[in-house]
Amino acid sequence: MKKTSIIVLVYAVFAFAICLLISFLMKNVPILLPGEEKSYVICRGFLFFCKFFPSLVFSSFLIGCAISYGKDAEKAKIKYSPLIMAHFRRTMIASIVIVLVVSMITEVFIPFFEQRQSKARLKPILFSEFMTLSEDYFAKQQMNLAFEYSYNALLLNPKDQRAIYINDHAAAELNSLKMVLDRPEEPKFVFTPVKETSGETITSLLRKAKAAAEKENWFDAHYYAYLAVQVGGEKDINFEDANRLASEAWNHLFDPTVIKETDEQILFRKKREAYKTLIRGDNIEAYYQFLEIAAISDVAARDPDVSKFLEIAKDRVENQCFFVEEVENLRRFESYNNVYFAVPHDDGSKDVVYIRGITPVKNSGRTIQYLRGFTLFSYSKEGRFERSIFVPYAKMLSEKASMFDEGAKHYFGIKDEYKNVPYLMLESIAKNDRTGRIAPVYEYDADYVKKNEPFLNNYFVLGLPMKDFNLLCDAMAGSIKMNLISLIKFLPKTREYGYSYEVYNSDFLLRITYPLIVLICCIFMACMAWNYRLRDSQLFKFKWIFLIPAITIILYFVLECGLYVCRILNYALVVMLGAGAVYVSVSILVLIFVIVCFDFVSRTAD
Amino acid sequence: MKRALYFAVIYLASMFVGTVIFATLFMFSCNLNMFVTGLPVSFFSLNYFMTGILLSVPLVCILIQILLILYIIRHPGCQIISLIIYAVFGLLSWLVFIPADLKLIARYESDVVSCRVEAASTGVFRKEANGVYYYTRINEDGSADGLFLDTTGYLGQEGTVVPLFDIPVKNESAFPYSDILIKNSLQPPVLVTYPLSVYNALLTAAQYSSSLGFLSWLAFASIGLALLTVYGIQFMSSWKLANVTFVICFAVGILFINYLYYMNILPDILKEVAERLANFTGLKDPLIVLINIIIALLCVGIGIFMGIYRLRSGLAMESEE
């Protein structure tokens, strides 16, 4: 086997060099960004090599075995002779090594190089799209967007003069003008503070409120009393106390006679207004109002009420929407593009979801996913359109399903067995500018609105487990390229989410049986090598080396045809047997393997 | 005699098994062409199976001829009997089996139905060149409701999501399949389609020649003669594996040359020669007959010369031992 291994290795190295050479000599390199040609060509060479690899190995293995089996072949006078058994052992070990290498190449290297190539091909398209957009916005004097797109273009191609020009000019203008984003506006919402009262009871909150009232800090007194009212029920013994203290504090806040220091009159009035907005539940407006107060003067910024309630307002805002600034420059980090799936509900209705791009961001141990171009279309059981939701960017968090009450669970189709579900914030606001809000766009079918209350919230929950969402993102690579473990998990759910079970299952069959097919081919090659071995007395002639490429081509063709036949048979098996196809397919291949093995060990010298 | 009988059994058994395998594959692929994911389909249909048998007989004849040579290379004893049996079955193939099969094809050709349906199923994303279709409802008249996700424009500036209402379902882009999903997944590589197109072209030429009469068929069957004489190539080298490679390469070469001729993919000068020869002899396709005869003579020459040489060197080696 030593001789065979050397032949296989030398031939593989030689073939690799030839593949690289062919790739360098081939002229049809697609349009690429400057400086990427060389790596693309090398990548292409690698891919050539990987595609031919099984036939390269089989042909050199065949030749190697045919040479080495010639020695002492006459000793194999009977079936299962010691010589043949020894050959079989060595051949089997070599075959297993070949199977491992070939499987690794098909499952790891080919997808890796193909992905690299497609990324390289995509870059110029992306670059020209970024440039067109930045040129457009530059001409329209929308410098913030011109800056954003030219920045993204420069990340792809840092030496592009035009991109540098737009980026520099847009940055300079932005600095001087401090222009803000120009975006569409507003939804309405009601928010109940949940987080702020966590771990608190009505008694503890009332105690805090009373302490603040003693110090005549009426903001805190009202705030804690108000929270106490929110937390407690009417039957609570402290409920009345909390209610009374809240109204007493409110009266103090809005009684003009209480104001003692006239210097702070303006600040107090503004604080009061902002606080009123916060208590009303309009957290976003309250956030902007406190932000404006803090911007008036250093004294205002340092005011403990202002800083405290600004922080509270910001926390509340972050629970119901996200800042536009978070999604700036996110596109280049997108892990998935064009993700689409259907979410079926128990009543037969369906939500069809389409997301243009997904960027996962790790934030204090939690993964946040930003979804670009989130579109959801809902269809009735009969397949009629009911409503659609569109938002340019949505922020997605994995939330515990138990967090939702029965009504929400029923509405979004969250089942009890789900652990975590994708929770989507649909609204985004600018950090420092109240006009920079982006709200979801809802469209409803007229008939649907007549019968149902339209849903206009600024959040949405997808009615599927979070792990399935991640699986669907993986499935976008396609049944051939997606991770094999993900494919196994995804198989039973394909129909549910709008994918073809037959396509995914037959590709799964091919991928799972491929190593066994390679193993059968190796043993079959060994059989052929024994049949057409070199005679004991014969010396290997140099000119026979030129046979190897011819055998490689013949085997490449035979292998491609064989694999195609396997694909057709897999389809037939999947359509006829469904999930049982894998057992039948593996059983048949194992049987063929056993037959081929017996065929080999029963060879004799005749 | 025993060997002759063994040969005959092998030949007929392989003929039967080969035809059944190819016919089954043909039947499966026809049914796959009609398959729409999510809709019921049967993978067995007698009509396709019979058509498959008719179409695969010539292919199986050629393949078995080559495989027989490989068998003889592996078991070189009794060269004369092997040659006689080989020649008998070769002649039987080209003068009886294939012409009879071609006549049957011509008779039942009109029965070969189109392997495609115009249908779609709901609830499946179908990725096409410029976007993705998703049907939610298909009416009896074939119109559908659903969605079209325009995936052009990587940044999503150009593409939009278009709701579809009562649009006619079309699946032309899936041609020759009925479902684009099956096409995307099952479209054979060029390495599979090209040999099939070569075979198809040769089969069409064979049918045409056969329809013109026996003499015309004999002209076409010169390819069979050339293929039969590949037998002589097995003596080219002293290494069996090299001979196997030569035999396969020669057979493929002969088929390819004939394909080029019948598809008229020839240099201008050869086209001119072909025309002049046809005018001069008044026969159909005299050029390819000539080429095939030259190849046959070459193979026979190699066979006789190298055969004697190998026999002598073999005897010499034996006497040395």
Side-chain angles (χ1 to χ4, degrees):
Chain A
M1 246 335 106
K2 200 173 161 191
K3 207 184 270 176
T4 312
S5 312
I6 292 169
I7 291 173
V8 172
L9 272 177
V10 170
Y11 185 53
V13 171
F14 180 72
F16 178 63
I18 295 279
C19 286
L20 274 186
L21 188 72
I22 291 172
S23 181
F24 270 102
L25 292 177
M26 268 171 77
K27 290 222 167 74
N28 56 342
V29 178
I31 302 161
L32 298 167
L33 288 178
E36 293 224 323
E37 286 90 355
K38 205 176 248 175
S39 72
Y40 184 87
V41 166
I42 292 174
C43 207
R44 187 169 63 181
F46 264 108
L47 265 179
F48 278 155
F49 177 69
C50 291
K51 295 239 155 112
F52 276 100
F53 188 75
S55 43
L56 286 171
V57 171
F58 291 155
S59 51
S60 47
F61 185 68
L62 175 68
I63 299 267
C65 287
I67 294 169
S68 63
Y69 289 166
K71 202 180 173 197
D72 301 330
E74 299 307 316
K75 285 181 186 166
K77 292 209 178 345
I78 50 160
K79 285 180 177 181
Y80 320 115
S81 61
L83 179 84
I84 277 286
M85 293 314 272
H87 277 321
F88 181 67
R89 266 197 304 278
R90 285 193 286 266
T91 306
M92 194 51 110
I93 293 166
S95 303
I96 289 169
V97 174
I98 290 173
V99 168
L100 288 177
V101 177
V102 170
S103 303
M104 186 120 121
I105 281 182
T106 27
E107 285 295 328
V108 182
F109 287 97
I110 292 182
F112 172 75
F113 287 121
E114 278 181 345
Q115 202 182 9
R116 267 195 74 163
Q117 269 198 322
S118 67
K119 268 189 185 166
R121 277 197 299 264
L122 198 66
K123 272 184 183 175
I125 302 167
L126 203 56
F127 177 74
S128 82
E129 278 196 48
F130 278 133
M131 281 310 287
T132 317
L133 289 167
S134 66
E135 292 271 12
D136 266 11
Y137 288 118
F138 193 64
K140 287 181 199 160
Q141 289 292 303
Q142 283 177 269
M143 291 305 171
N144 50 339
L145 291 172
F147 175 79
E148 190 187 321
Y149 286 118
S150 58
Y151 179 69
N152 278 310
L154 277 177
L155 287 170
L156 291 169
N157 189 2
K159 286 177 187 161
D160 189 81
Q161 288 305 315
R162 185 65 191 155
I164 293 172
Y165 174 81
I166 295 177
N167 192 259
D168 287 351
H169 278 71
E173 280 213 36
L174 271 181
N175 281 338
S176 60
L177 293 171
K178 298 215 169 195
M179 278 186 73
V180 286
L181 294 168
D182 180 21
R183 310 255 196 197
E185 47 0 301
E186 98 266 23
K188 288 194 173 63
F189 48 82
V190 177
F191 181 76
T192 324
V194 180
K195 222 169 103 183
E196 293 158 39
T197 55
S198 65
E200 298 278 9
T201 63
I202 183 164
T203 325
S204 67
L205 287 165
L206 194 61
R207 201 181 305 125
K208 280 185 184 175
K210 279 178 179 166
E214 275 171 21
K215 288 178 197 159
E216 294 195 349
N217 184 349
W218 300 115
F219 281 111
D220 278 2
H222 178 263
Y223 175 69
Y224 288 121
Y226 178 77
L227 285 188
V229 171
Q230 295 279 325
V231 168
E234 279 181 28
K235 286 175 188 164
D236 215 307
I237 43 166
N238 290 324
F239 186 76
E240 276 305 309
D241 267 3
N243 232 343
R244 191 185 41 74
L245 188 56
S247 54
E248 193 187 326
W250 190 258
N251 289 339
H252 274 285
L253 279 174
F254 289 89
D255 180 6
T257 58
V258 178
I259 303 161
K260 291 167 189 167
E261 293 164 68
T262 50
D263 314 359
E264 293 173 3
Q265 193 173 6
I266 299 166
L267 176 64
F268 187 79
R269 182 171 46 79
K270 289 202 169 187
K271 258 167 40 177
R272 206 173 55 187
E273 289 309 315
Y275 183 73
K276 204 173 166 184
T277 317
L278 184 74
I279 289 306
R280 208 171 60 224
D282 192 348
N283 303 312
I284 296 176
E285 182 54 32
Y287 165 76
Y288 285 126
Q289 283 181 1
F290 279 115
L291 206 64
E292 280 161 7
I293 297 167
I296 295 173
S297 66
D298 284 351
V299 179
R302 280 200 298 270
D303 185 283
D305 289 330
V306 173
S307 52
K308 179 180 177 179
F309 288 109
L310 178 61
E311 202 51 44
I312 289 170
K314 195 181 171 204
D315 277 356
R316 287 188 184 183
V317 163
E318 281 182 338
N319 270 320
Q320 68 185 73
C321 61
F322 59 99
F323 294 112
V324 174
E325 287 79 1
E326 290 174 44
V327 297
E328 275 175 9
N329 298 320
L330 270 190
R331 279 176 196 179
R332 67 202 159 91
F333 298 116
E334 279 179 357
S335 305
Y336 305 103
N337 285 103
N338 294 323
V339 178
Y340 42 82
F341 53 89
V343 184
H345 295 297
D346 286 343
D347 60 355
S349 63
K350 253 177 205 170
D351 290 335
V352 181
V353 177
Y354 173 48
I355 303 157
R356 288 199 182 282
I358 300 177
T359 318
V361 176
K362 282 251 188 249
N363 193 350
S364 56
R366 195 175 190 194
T367 304
I368 297 167
Q369 304 197 56
Y370 291 97
L371 316 181
R372 183 169 59 83
F374 173 81
T375 315
L376 182 137
F377 274 71
S378 298
Y379 287 91
S380 71
K381 187 184 173 186
E382 294 79 27
R384 287 180 201 283
F385 169 74
E386 285 181 344
R387 61 132 186 244
S388 72
I389 306 171
F390 171 75
V391 67
Y393 255 109
K395 181 175 177 175
M396 193 182 82
L397 302 163
S398 169
E399 290 289 359
K400 282 200 174 74
S402 55
M403 209 186 86
F404 299 94
D405 59 23
E406 282 308 312
K409 277 185 179 173
H410 177 74
Y411 187 83
F412 294 113
I414 305 168
K415 289 179 186 151
D416 289 333
E417 62 262 31
Y418 296 172
K419 206 173 159 196
N420 289 301
V421 284
Y423 171 83
L424 273 76
M425 293 180 185
L426 301 178
E427 190 185 4
S428 49
I429 59 165
K431 240 174 194 162
N432 299 314
D433 170 31
R434 69 176 78 222
T435 60
R437 277 194 193 182
I438 305 171
V441 181
Y442 286 94
E443 275 176 20
Y444 277 90
D445 178 59
D447 289 344
Y448 179 79
V449 177
K450 275 180 206 163
K451 292 175 207 157
N452 302 281
E453 183 77 15
F455 175 88
L456 294 169
N457 282 353
N458 56 356
Y459 68 93
F460 196 86
V461 184
L462 294 175
L464 78 170
M466 193 63 207
K467 58 179 188 338
D468 282 11
F469 181 87
N470 295 332
L471 213 52
L472 282 161
C473 291
D474 288 343
M476 284 305 123
S479 45
I480 293 287
K481 287 180 194 163
M482 78 185 280
N483 175 304
L484 194 60
I485 295 160
S486 300
L487 179 60
I488 294 169
K489 287 184 191 160
F490 187 56
L491 266 187
K493 297 168 181 169
T494 41
R495 278 200 192 115
E496 204 179 314
Y497 293 126
Y499 289 86
S500 168
Y501 176 72
E502 291 81 7
V503 171
Y504 276 75
N505 201 359
S506 68
D507 285 342
F508 161 71
L509 266 189
L510 193 70
R511 284 175 68 177
I512 205 96
T513 53
Y514 186 69
L516 198 49
I517 294 173
V518 173
L519 190 61
I520 291 170
C521 289
C522 284
I523 305 294
F524 185 71
M525 285 302 127
C527 291
M528 289 293 110
W530 179 265
N531 286 354
Y532 304 113
R533 66 189 179 274
L534 215 60
R535 281 198 308 272
D536 200 0
S537 53
Q538 224 172 356
L539 285 173
F540 187 80
K541 291 178 190 165
F542 177 75
K543 62 183 177 187
W544 287 338
I545 280 180
F546 300 105
L547 281 177
I548 309 183
I551 296 174
T552 304
I553 293 168
I554 294 169
L555 286 180
Y556 182 67
F557 167 74
V558 172
L559 204 63
E560 284 286 307
C561 290
L563 285 175
Y564 185 68
V565 168
C566 284
R567 291 183 82 95
I568 291 181
L569 295 177
N570 282 345
Y571 261 93
L573 279 178
V574 166
V575 173
M576 286 187 284
L577 303 170
V582 65
Y583 304 110
V584 176
S585 178
V586 170
S587 311
I588 293 172
L589 285 172
V590 167
L591 188 71
I592 295 174
F593 173 68
V594 171
I595 292 171
V596 175
C597 286
F598 267 101
D599 189 47
F600 182 78
V601 290
S602 56
R603 301 266 137 181
T604 57
D606 302 327
Chain B
M1 198 57 208
K2 195 180 158 197
R3 188 175 167 91
L5 201 69
Y6 185 61
F7 247 55
V9 171
I10 282 188
Y11 188 90
L12 292 172
S14 330
M15 188 81 183
F16 176 75
V17 173
T19 316
V20 169
I21 289 174
F22 279 107
T24 310
L25 284 177
F26 180 79
M27 177 178 73
F28 281 174
S29 37
C30 281
N31 283 314
L32 271 174
N33 281 30
M34 300 215 299
F35 178 52
V36 174
T37 182
L39 296 182
V41 69
S42 160
F43 266 86
F44 295 98
S45 102
L46 190 65
N47 192 13
Y48 289 141
F49 186 73
M50 294 314 286
T51 315
I53 286 183
L54 293 183
L55 292 177
S56 56
V57 164
L59 178 67
V60 174
C61 285
I62 295 171
L63 283 181
I64 289 178
Q65 247 172 263
I66 296 165
L67 287 177
L68 267 183
I69 303 175
L70 303 192
Y71 181 83
I72 293 167
I73 295 175
R74 157 91 174 105
H75 303 280
C78 308
Q79 282 290 349
I80 305 292
I81 294 174
S82 302
L83 178 63
I84 292 169
I85 299 295
Y86 172 79
V88 167
F89 279 111
L91 289 173
L92 260 180
S93 295
W94 287 95
L95 297 176
V96 181
F97 295 155
I98 298 177
D101 180 65
L102 291 174
K103 286 209 169 65
L104 283 173
I105 293 177
R107 188 181 294 173
Y108 294 108
E109 197 172 37
S110 55
D111 290 352
V112 180
V113 286
S114 155
C115 309
R116 205 167 170 263
V117 288
E118 285 285 343
S121 53
T122 59
V124 188
F125 290 97
R126 289 190 164 80
K127 194 175 180 184
E128 301 220 356
N130 52 350
V132 181
Y133 283 91
Y134 183 88
Y135 298 119
T136 57
R137 192 164 70 104
I138 295 177
N139 302 316
E140 279 175 11
D141 62 353
S143 64
D145 282 6
L147 269 185
F148 173 70
L149 316 174
D150 185 350
T151 49
T152 52
Y154 181 76
L155 293 174
Q157 298 291 323
E158 302 157 29
T160 47
V161 179
V162 188
L164 309 171
F165 298 103
D166 282 333
I167 59 128
V169 174
K170 283 181 185 165
N171 56 1
E172 279 104 11
S173 54
F175 188 83
Y177 295 86
S178 305
D179 191 336
I180 187 88
L181 286 171
I182 306 298
K183 183 184 177 178
N184 290 343
S185 153
L186 205 63
Q187 203 166 26
V190 186
L191 222 62
V192 176
T193 51
Y194 192 73
L196 281 180
S197 69
V198 170
Y199 178 65
N200 204 19
L202 287 175
L203 197 64
T204 313
Q207 270 177 282
Y208 180 65
S209 304
S210 150
S211 69
L212 291 178
F214 187 68
L215 204 63
S216 178
W217 166 250
L218 271 187
F220 181 85
S222 62
I223 184 180
L225 180 72
L227 282 172
L228 281 173
T229 54
V230 169
Y231 186 91
I233 301 298
Q234 61 163 309
F235 305 109
M236 279 271 274
S237 169
S238 55
W239 189 20
K240 288 175 181 176
L241 189 61
N243 289 331
V244 168
T245 316
F246 290 141
V247 165
I248 294 172
C249 290
F250 258 77
V252 171
I254 291 166
L255 289 169
F256 193 65
I257 289 170
N258 279 268
Y259 165 74
L260 290 181
Y261 176 82
Y262 287 110
M263 291 302 282
N264 211 11
I265 313 169
L266 293 172
D268 286 341
I269 187 156
L270 277 182
K271 279 183 192 168
E272 209 173 297
V273 171
E275 208 179 308
R276 281 192 186 171
L277 266 176
N279 289 338
F280 178 70
T281 55
L283 293 167
K284 196 185 161 286
D285 305 322
L287 180 66
I288 195 66
V289 176
L290 194 67
I291 292 172
N292 283 331
I293 288 174
I294 292 171
I295 293 171
L297 289 176
L298 189 75
C299 291
V300 170
I302 291 172
I304 293 171
F305 179 74
M306 294 305 287
I308 293 169
Y309 175 71
R310 296 278 164 233
L311 199 69
R312 276 192 178 175
S313 57
L315 288 175
M317 271 173 71
E318 269 175 31
S319 62
E320 266 177 37
E321 280 166 14

